[in-house]
């Protein structure tokens, strides 16, 4: 448990901005950051602004933790996003001009919680109800579904300058929940697409005023090569992307870089492109991977079976294990 090694531990909700600020002021902290959770971002910016520490603004925190606010900002700045609407209840007349299929998401959750793909109007009301139920503020967004491959861009920023560290290819369960089953770095996309992704990411980070620290930007790319922004977080990617894969594929200590920015000790990232790295997640959908979990493989970095009873996954919390690899080529177990 982290509390056993921390110098200070307080059982306070990360949403309790004022109480956390008071404890940080009392201790006299040197920096504050989040590694891979969106929920902590508003609190971090709240505390940092009051203690004159390095962070993004509270406005930026709102725009990167609320999907509707994020869509509004990106749309106003002419970034390519799916057509969307924010709702707090079902009203069929709101969707007259939308083209099915649609994706429904709580405005303020992650890990695929409350995410549904709906192919027609008959299933929309129930999906909206379930998504709103998952939301802290009881709202969701409904947006047109973009068919295509999924990738993410891992970045770190300092004083508004953005450094692209890696692009991650993704494998998901597909409809209706799109829970991620595997991640691979570096991306095998063609160079023109990679270059476009880098430029779009930098422009989107500018629009959202992500000037400091890590960011994790998710995209869909259609068969025609059109790139749509799906979501951007002002933190490292979860699923071991930020904590391990970037380091394994580039040699850059992403976690150390994030901590140094919080401490006002930024150093320009040095990337060595030393190999391929990835993670596979174990579930009922990926039961065929079980033999790789039960034997030693030359590409193993770390692996663990968390639950012997495999189940179909509705969110990332349902996954039953993980296998992190590192190799001189992509390890394709499918």
């Amino acid at each position: 448990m982290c509390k056993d090694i921390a110098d200070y531990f307080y059982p306070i909700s990360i949403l309790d901005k004022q109480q956390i600020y008071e404890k940080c002021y009392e201790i006299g902290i040197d920096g504050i950051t989040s590694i891979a959770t969106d929920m902590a971002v508003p609190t971090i910016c709240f505390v940092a602004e009051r203690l004159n520490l390095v962070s993004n603004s509270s406005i930026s925190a709102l725009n990167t933790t609320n999907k509707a606010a994020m869509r509004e900002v990106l749309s106003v700045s002419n970034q390519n996003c799916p057509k969307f609407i924010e709702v707090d209840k079902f009203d069929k007349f709101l969707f007259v001009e939308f083209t099915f299929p649609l994706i429904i998401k709580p405005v303020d959750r992650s890990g695929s919680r409350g995410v549904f793909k709906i192919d027609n109007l008959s299933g929309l009301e129930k999906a909206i109800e379930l998504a709103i139920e998952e939301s802290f503020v009881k709202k969701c967004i409904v947006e047109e579904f973009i068919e295509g491959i999924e990738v993410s861009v891992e970045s770190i920023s300092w004083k508004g300058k953005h450094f692209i560290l890696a692009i991650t290819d993704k494998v998901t369960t597909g409809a209706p929940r799109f829970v991620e089953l595997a991640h691979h770095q570096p991306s095998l996309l063609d160079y023109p697409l990679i270059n476009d992704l880098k430029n779009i990411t930098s422009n989107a980070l500018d629009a959202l005023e992500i000037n400091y620290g890590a960011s994790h930007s998710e995209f869909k790319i259609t068969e025609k090569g059109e790139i749509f922004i799906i979501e951007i977080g002002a933190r490292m990617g979860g699923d071991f992307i930020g904590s391990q894969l970037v380091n394994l594929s580039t040699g850059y200590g992403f976690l150390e870089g994030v901590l140094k920015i919080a401490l006002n000790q930024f150093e320009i990232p040095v990337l060595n492109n030393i190999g391929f790295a990835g993670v596979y997640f174990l579930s009922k959908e990926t039961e065929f991977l079980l033999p790789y979990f039960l034997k030693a493989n030359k590409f193993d970095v770390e692996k663990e079976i968390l639950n012997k009873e495999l189940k179909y996954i509705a969110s990332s919390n349902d996954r039953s294990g993980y296998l992190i690899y590192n190799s001189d080529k992509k390890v394709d177990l499918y």
Side-chain angles (χ1 to χ4, degrees):
M1 294 291 289
C2 293
K3 69 177 183 180
D4 297 328
I5 60 174
D7 294 323
Y8 302 91
F9 174 79
Y10 304 97
I12 303 171
S13 167
I14 59 174
L15 302 178
D16 192 336
K17 301 177 184 178
Q18 184 62 33
Q19 195 172 356
I20 291 176
Y21 159 69
E22 291 170 0
K23 290 298 183 184
C24 290
Y25 177 80
E26 177 185 313
I27 295 169
I29 65 169
D30 297 309
I32 184 169
T33 191
S34 173
I35 301 305
T37 175
D38 291 309
M39 287 175 59
V41 171
T43 298
I44 288 164
C45 296
F46 177 88
V47 173
E49 286 180 335
R50 281 152 183 77
L51 296 180
N52 197 31
L53 299 172
V54 176
S55 82
N56 297 307
S57 69
S58 289
I59 292 175
S60 178
L62 170 65
N63 291 335
T64 55
T65 55
N66 182 292
K67 294 177 176 61
M70 181 187 303
R71 286 276 185 270
E72 291 286 355
V73 171
L74 292 174
S75 296
V76 167
S77 60
N78 296 317
Q79 307 299 314
N80 199 25
C81 299
K83 182 178 179 180
F84 80 101
I85 188 173
E86 180 185 29
V87 300
D88 58 9
K89 62 182 178 181
F90 174 74
D91 180 347
K92 66 179 181 181
F93 296 107
L94 294 173
F95 309 103
V96 172
E97 297 183 0
F98 278 74
T99 301
F100 285 87
L102 301 176
I103 289 286
I104 296 86
K105 308 174 184 177
V107 297
D108 51 2
R109 296 305 300 265
S110 58
S112 301
R113 297 178 188 87
V115 175
F116 301 92
K117 179 189 176 190
I118 300 299
D119 293 319
N120 52 63
L121 190 62
S122 64
L124 186 56
E125 182 173 8
K126 184 62 176 178
I128 287 175
E129 289 176 357
L130 292 172
I132 288 173
E133 190 175 310
E134 287 282 351
S135 169
F136 293 117
V137 297
K138 303 307 176 189
K139 293 182 180 181
C140 71
I141 62 169
V142 180
E143 63 186 24
E144 292 185 349
F145 175 69
I146 305 300
E147 188 70 57
I149 61 173
E150 296 189 32
V151 300
S152 65
V153 178
E154 325 310 329
S155 315
I156 196 165
S157 302
W158 175 253
K159 294 184 178 179
K161 185 173 182 179
H162 313 299
F163 300 86
I164 307 300
L165 305 176
I167 296 177
T168 310
D169 291 335
K170 298 178 178 295
V171 179
T172 77
T173 59
R177 297 299 187 89
F178 300 93
V179 184
E180 290 151 327
L181 295 176
H183 303 290
H184 303 278
Q185 291 178 2
S187 172
L188 296 181
L189 290 172
D190 293 336
Y191 176 77
L193 271 177
I194 287 177
N195 195 50
D196 287 345
L197 279 167
K198 290 179 177 180
N199 291 331
I200 292 170
T201 298
S202 293
N203 291 336
L205 295 179
D206 285 342
L208 293 168
E209 299 182 31
I210 300 177
N211 296 321
Y212 295 95
S215 59
H216 173 74
S217 306
E218 299 180 350
F219 299 89
K220 279 283 197 77
I221 304 174
T222 69
E223 283 188 353
K224 296 180 179 180
E226 189 174 9
I227 299 172
F228 286 85
I229 301 173
I230 301 301
E231 196 167 318
I232 295 178
R235 39 82 178 172
M236 289 166 45
D239 288 354
F240 306 102
I241 292 173
S243 61
Q244 296 206 46
L245 299 194
V246 170
N247 192 359
L248 291 170
S249 68
T250 71
Y252 175 66
F254 197 3
L255 177 57
E256 182 180 356
V258 170
L259 293 174
K260 284 189 172 181
I261 284 179
L263 295 171
N264 200 23
Q265 300 173 4
F266 174 71
E267 297 177 1
I268 295 176
V270 177
L271 308 179
N272 295 311
N273 300 316
I274 58 177
F276 284 77
V279 58
Y280 284 95
F281 293 103
L282 186 62
S283 67
K284 195 65 177 175
E285 290 91 341
T286 61
E287 190 170 13
F288 63 90
L289 294 175
L290 197 54
Y292 296 100
F293 281 79
L294 299 177
K295 67 176 182 178
N297 309 289
K298 63 180 181 180
F299 49 73
D300 288 345
V301 172
E302 181 182 336
K303 59 187 176 183
E304 185 175 0
I305 297 176
L306 303 171
N307 188 343
K308 292 183 179 180
E309 183 180 347
L310 306 185
K311 56 183 177 180
Y312 293 103
I313 53 180
S315 77
S316 56
N317 288 337
D318 297 327
R319 296 182 296 208
S320 299
Y322 63 89
L323 185 158
I324 300 171
Y325 77 81
N326 191 206
S327 178
D328 59 357
K329 62 182 179 179
K330 178 184 176 182
V331 175
D332 193 347
L333 302 181
Y334 286 167

